[in-house]
Amino acid sequence: MSPAPTAAPAAFIPNVASTRQYIGAWAILSVLQYFAAEAAVAMAWAGPRPYDLRTGYISDLGALHCGTFSGRDVCSPLNWLMNASFVVQGLGMLGGALLLTSGLLRVAARPGIRINWGRKEPWLAAAAVRLLTGAAGAGTEVVGLVPEDVGSPWHYWGAVTYFLAGGAALLVLGLLWLRKTGMAWFILACGAVSLAAVATGGLTHMMVPEPGTLERLMGYPVTVGMAASGLVIAQRVHRHRKERRAAAARVTAA
């Protein structure tokens, strides 16, 4: 007797207009505050020489004490602002990882797209994006909570986690979003640049003429790429929410 045919996996349409998704998108977008904080803290630098983005490490801006650290003269009066920015950036990424669903990431927040459970690879990719984004957010939180000059290795490992997990998240997301949004190529490029810079830093032990530039090539693309993904989601979710409200208003008026 032949076995009964199995039912096809159920398909469903992700809800891309929920408040949860909207908050998650804006949480990711909030990482852009980092650039304003960094600029303000760098301008307040009180070291013997002006802070140079090309040669100064990012973490020097969060150092708690004025003096010499690893052979560099550091003095950042607004260190609290830089460290708070790291923490807020981490919270934004963690919030996005928790609130943005795998279904929404699978369809790049496009409304009305029917998906099924049969193809496991896209689900695994979406789950990996969320996991890696959360890990990157936790890493940059550690960077802010444990400044470089407190004598703990946690600061270093937090930074490495942010660079590696953040770059990897963007690579996976860019591949997942190919043919779903033109921004996918930009996100993919951000991840590739970040990971290439991390590899260069590891191979050279940061012994390069402009270590600040190299470190920013590790970190800036992660921040910009995450913000770009948040922008795509926020715009699409907002548009769909607006269309839903308009449709509900027409029904009520009728």
Side-chain angles (χ1 to χ4, degrees), residues 4 17 37-38 45 68 72 84 92 94-96 107 116 131 134 137 148 155 161 163 173 175 192 204 210 229 231:
E38 184 192 48
W45 185 258
T68 301
R72 305 186 301 275
L94 281 169
V107 301
N116 60 59
L131 180 62
E148 67 176 8
H155 180 91
T161 300
F163 296 143
L173 183 63
L175 291 171
T204 63
E210 296 186 2
S229 66
L231 180 62

Side-chain angles (χ1 to χ4, degrees), residues 20-21 23-35 84-101 105 126-143 158-171 173 187 190-191 194 218-230 233:
R20 166 184 173 172
Q21 314 283 22
I23 294 173
W26 279 100
I28 291 291
L29 262 173
S30 71
V31 300
L32 287 175
Q33 56 77 29
Y34 165 84
F35 292 111
S85 176
F86 290 139
V87 172
V88 170
Q89 185 179 33
L91 288 174
M93 295 172 72
L94 281 169
L98 291 171
L99 295 174
L100 297 176
T101 64
L105 292 176
V129 170
R130 297 176 67 188
L131 180 62
L132 290 166
T133 300
T140 194
E141 278 201 63
V142 171
V143 168
V160 170
T161 300
Y162 172 70
F163 296 143
L164 287 176
L170 294 176
L171 273 184
L173 183 63
I187 293 170
C190 285
S194 176
M218 300 178 194
Y220 282 9
V222 174
T223 303
V224 173
M226 288 291 173
S229 66
I233 296 170

